[in-house]
Structure formats: structure tokens, C-alpha cells
Amino acid sequence: MKCFSFLFFRLPILSLVLLVSMSCGDEGETRKRKEKKVSESIDVLGALPESVIDPPDNPTNPQKVELGRLLFYDPILSGNRDVACATCHQPDFNYAEFLETSIGVNGTGSGSKRQFRTPNSIPFVKRNSQSILNTAFNGITNHGEYNPVLAPMFWDLRAKGLEEQALIPIKTLEEMRGHAYTEETILDEVIARIRNIPEYQTRFGEVFSGETNPVHANNLAKAIAAYERTLVANQSRFDQYMRGDSNALSLSEKDGLNLFLRTGCAKCHNGPMLSDFKLHTLGVPDTQNRQESDAGVHNNYAFRTPSLRNLRYTAPYMHSGRFATLDQVLLFYEDVAGGKIENPHVTASQMDPLARKMDVNFRDISGIVEFLNTLNDDSFDKTVPTRVPSGLKVKGNVE
């Protein structure tokens, strides 16, 4: 009896201890969830403007845009005359390319069938080919403010403005230059070639009529940039929704939008371009196409937040092109939030705290992807010239 009596009085005490313990545990979990709360308001997002802003020294006109289009598709700009800007930025792929990292110089074929010719001593392009579509809006804030002269470019922000960006691929070994010319001499060579083509002489003269010798590198960059500023996709269903059409998104897409905001994606993917245009270290695995690890411009593995617009057409994703689907990207962020680092060269202290605070769960992924698909707009200009003034193959060696 004494034994049973002892148990009788002990059980309530044990239950009380368990309840207190469970309560403390619940409080701890609640506190953790509160600490990890990262939800943003829809006010951090926005629709793209209906029109673009030109730099003061490069106002657009139809003749300049057409000249830029021809130059964009003409392999005369490359060292070996085999690569054009359009080789790696194709209309069918949202002016990007369906490869982990691109094959520029000494390549042949298009899309997944593109490969190096043999023999070959040219490396793959260092990073995934970013879309040129909507780069006219790079740097735009949620209040519609941006300066086209200072627009951030490339994965590492090493250039500002489309004019500066336009000439860098021409000077880059694996993209367009090749071994035949140095970085210091390639532009002079390209300009000399263009001057020897009567049609280009005429077109440059018409576009830049106030100049005695209009064929030079600055005007080359201005023409290409003027064309690239026409490549916009600003009529997505998300744009319509943000402009006031509440029926532009379905209920499930609106749920996906709320998940996007709640999980913390909008901490970096904000504004009309859904990018803060800042560098973040996420520990993304390196491309397998290059032997060396890509540590970025500051050697801390930080890369620019990409835009989320038209993702349907721009796979694979991230600077290294390592993720083939949006589901894989979101699973990566779930792992990052859980403390996993997929790049062995990145330390925990380097990881961006914003990524650590994200709250992406597997159950949310399909909803977020459904929302991301509302950012697609296929109505952009896909016009490809039937010929280029040099007489070379349009888009270079892609057939």
C-alpha cells in the first residue's frame, strides 16, 4: 500500500514537470520561430515602368537601335569572327543560353548541342550567361528610381551601364576575343574591320551625324546599348497585378506570392526587378566546367542577386549554372537556412546572414514556383536580322 500510495502522489508531480518542460520547449520553439520571422510586405515589390530611361549622352532613335541590332548579331566583333553577342544571348532563351556556362570562342552549335571544336585551348566562359532582357532597368528601386549610367552589370558588378558592359565581352578571352589578339588590341582591330565595311560606315555616319569619324569604340558601345534597351518584358501578369488588376493572379498564385514574402525571398529579391543588385555570399557550388574555384570579385564568393523575371526561359540558374530547376534552387535555400554550405571553399563566417534567416520549407516550394511563373512575359522583341553587313553568319557559328 505504501508503494501504491507513493506512486499516487508522485504521478501528478511528474505530470506537472512534464507539462512545464513541454511548455518551456514550446516557448523555445516559438521564440526560435519569432527570431526567424522574415516576412516582408508586398510594398517591397513593384511593377516595371512602361518605358526605359536613356543616358543623357545616348538618346535612342530607330536608326541607332537597328545599327545596334546588326552589331549584336555580327561575329565581326570577335577575334576569330566566329562569335557574336547573340551567340550566348539568344532570343529563344530570353537572351540568355541554356547551358551551365557558355562556350564562346572556338565553339559550334547552339543550345545543349553547342560544343568546342577540336583542337581547343579555350576554356568555358567563367559564369552562367545572364539574360540581357530588362537590363535597361538594372538598379531600379521600388520607387521607380534608377540611373542608366550607373546601372549595375554582371554577376560581380564590375561594370556600370549598358555602354560599359557592351565592350567587356569583346575583350574577354573565352567570350569573344580568343588568342589572336590581346585585351589591349582587340577593340582597335574590331573598329578597323567595321571601318572597312561600307554599310557600317554609312550607318554609323547617319546615326552619329555630327562626328567626322563616327566609327569608334564609344559609338560601338552606344549603338549596342541602345538596342539592348529595347529588349524589355514589362507586361507580365505580376506587372498587371501590381498596377491594380487584382484578377491578374489566381488565388493559388497569390498564395505563392504570400509564401515568397513570408519565407524571406524578398529580403534580396525586391523592387520591380526582384533584385537588390547587391553582392551576397550563399555558398553556391562551383561550375564543373572550370578547374579553378570562382571566388568572385572580392574573393569572398559573393555574387549579385539575379532578377527573377522570365525564369521559365533562363535555366539553369545561379552564377555557376549548377541548378537546372527552380525547385532545386529553393531546396538549396532550405539547406542554407538549415546551416548547410554546399561550396567547400566557403566558410560559415562568410555566409550572408539574410540567407541564414530564410524560412523555406519543402511544402512551400511548389507554391513559390507557381508565383514565380507569373513573372514571365513572352512578348519581348525576338527579331533576328536575316543578314549582317560583314557577310558572316548571323549569330556566329551556331549551326
Side-chain angles (χ1 to χ4, degrees):
M1 288 293 296
K2 289 182 180 179
C3 181
F4 284 105
S5 176
F6 174 77
L7 286 174
F8 180 81
F9 287 104
R10 291 283 293 173
L11 283 171
I13 296 173
L14 286 171
S15 299
L16 180 61
V17 170
L18 287 170
L19 286 170
V20 171
S21 175
M22 289 171 66
S23 176
C24 291
D26 289 343
E27 288 178 5
E29 288 301 313
T30 301
R31 187 161 52 251
K32 286 180 180 178
R33 283 196 295 271
K34 285 182 178 179
E35 289 173 354
K36 201 161 188 174
K37 187 178 179 182
V38 288
S39 184
E40 293 289 321
S41 163
I42 194 173
D43 293 337
V44 303
L45 306 178
L48 283 173
E50 296 279 5
S51 59
V52 303
I53 298 174
D54 298 326
D57 68 341
N58 193 24
T60 192
N61 62 61
Q63 292 77 21
K64 187 184 292 183
V65 169
E66 186 58 25
L67 172 59
R69 187 195 309 274
L70 293 172
L71 291 165
F72 187 86
Y73 284 90
D74 199 334
I76 196 71
L77 303 189
S78 62
N80 295 341
R81 297 177 174 86
D82 62 343
V83 184
C85 303
T87 305
C88 300
H89 299 283
Q90 302 179 27
D92 291 343
F93 299 107
N94 193 81
Y95 288 93
E97 186 178 26
F98 189 61
L99 286 176
E100 186 171 301
T101 60
S102 296
I103 294 174
V105 177
N106 202 39
T108 183
S110 181
S112 60
K113 295 181 179 179
R114 188 163 176 80
Q115 59 187 347
F116 283 112
R117 292 181 170 186
T118 54
N120 178 62
S121 59
I122 299 290
F124 279 86
V125 171
K126 193 171 186 177
R127 295 172 189 145
N128 180 259
S129 176
Q130 281 195 314
S131 172
I132 292 174
L133 200 67
N134 288 325
T135 49
F137 299 114
N138 274 18
I140 192 170
T141 68
N142 198 40
H143 304 290
E145 301 167 351
Y146 70 103
N147 183 344
V149 177
L150 301 177
M153 296 289 161
F154 295 110
W155 284 106
D156 57 8
L157 307 180
R158 68 185 184 275
K160 293 180 180 179
L162 283 169
E163 285 75 10
E164 182 180 354
Q165 174 272 330
L167 299 181
I168 292 178
I170 298 173
K171 297 188 288 185
T172 303
L173 169 69
E174 62 269 35
E175 294 188 36
M176 298 179 73
R177 173 166 60 88
H179 290 300
Y181 303 92
T182 66
E183 187 174 347
E184 292 74 26
T185 61
I186 183 61
L187 281 177
D188 290 338
E189 168 64 21
V190 167
I191 293 302
R193 294 175 187 174
I194 293 174
R195 285 176 178 159
N196 286 327
I197 299 173
E199 183 177 346
Y200 274 134
Q201 279 278 16
T202 300
R203 287 181 178 272
F204 270 86
E206 292 172 347
V207 171
F208 304 101
S209 57
E211 300 183 28
T212 304
N213 297 302
V215 183
H216 53 75
N218 286 342
N219 284 345
L220 170 66
K222 286 181 179 181
I224 294 174
Y227 164 64
E228 290 178 338
R229 286 195 179 92
T230 68
L231 303 177
V232 297
N234 53 3
Q235 301 299 325
S236 70
R237 288 191 295 115
F238 172 75
D239 289 305
Q240 297 166 31
Y241 179 75
M242 294 301 289
R243 291 172 188 147
D245 183 359
S246 61
N247 295 319
L249 303 187
S250 68
L251 288 176
S252 60
E253 289 167 343
K254 291 174 184 176
D255 288 340
L257 168 58
N258 289 329
L259 286 171
F260 179 85
L261 295 167
R262 183 184 64 76
T263 55
C265 299
K267 286 287 185 181
C268 299
H269 293 283
N270 48 51
M273 281 285 280
L274 286 92
S275 172
D276 61 4
F277 296 99
K278 296 178 181 178
L279 301 174
H280 298 277
T281 302
L282 304 175
V284 177
D286 287 313
T287 176
Q288 297 175 329
N289 291 336
R290 305 268 296 212
Q291 291 184 348
E292 74 278 12
S293 180
D294 184 2
V297 67
H298 298 308
N299 292 317
N300 62 353
Y301 289 86
F303 297 93
R304 194 198 88 194
T305 305
S307 171
L308 300 183
R309 288 182 170 274
N310 276 30
L311 292 177
R312 176 185 295 164
Y313 314 107
T314 58
Y317 306 106
M318 313 303 269
H319 75 275
S320 58
R322 285 301 305 276
F323 300 132
T325 67
L326 293 175
D327 289 52
Q328 290 177 1
V329 173
L330 289 165
L331 286 171
F332 165 79
Y333 279 115
E334 182 183 33
D335 290 341
V336 168
K340 185 177 180 180
I341 303 176
E342 292 201 22
N343 192 316
H345 301 284
V346 176
T347 64
S349 63
Q350 291 175 310
M351 292 290 288
D352 195 295
L354 288 176
R356 291 291 202 197
K357 292 178 182 178
M358 290 183 67
D359 189 21
V360 179
N361 292 298
F362 179 78
R363 65 178 180 273
D364 300 331
I365 289 177
S366 61
I368 295 174
V369 171
E370 188 169 3
F371 159 66
L372 292 177
N373 283 327
T374 71
L375 295 164
N376 298 320
D377 173 16
D378 191 40
S379 64
F380 55 90
D381 181 13
K382 307 178 187 69
T383 306
V384 178
T386 56
R387 55 170 292 279
V388 288
S390 68
L392 297 169
K393 293 181 179 178
V394 175
K395 295 192 289 187
N397 290 338
V398 294
E399 301 299 336

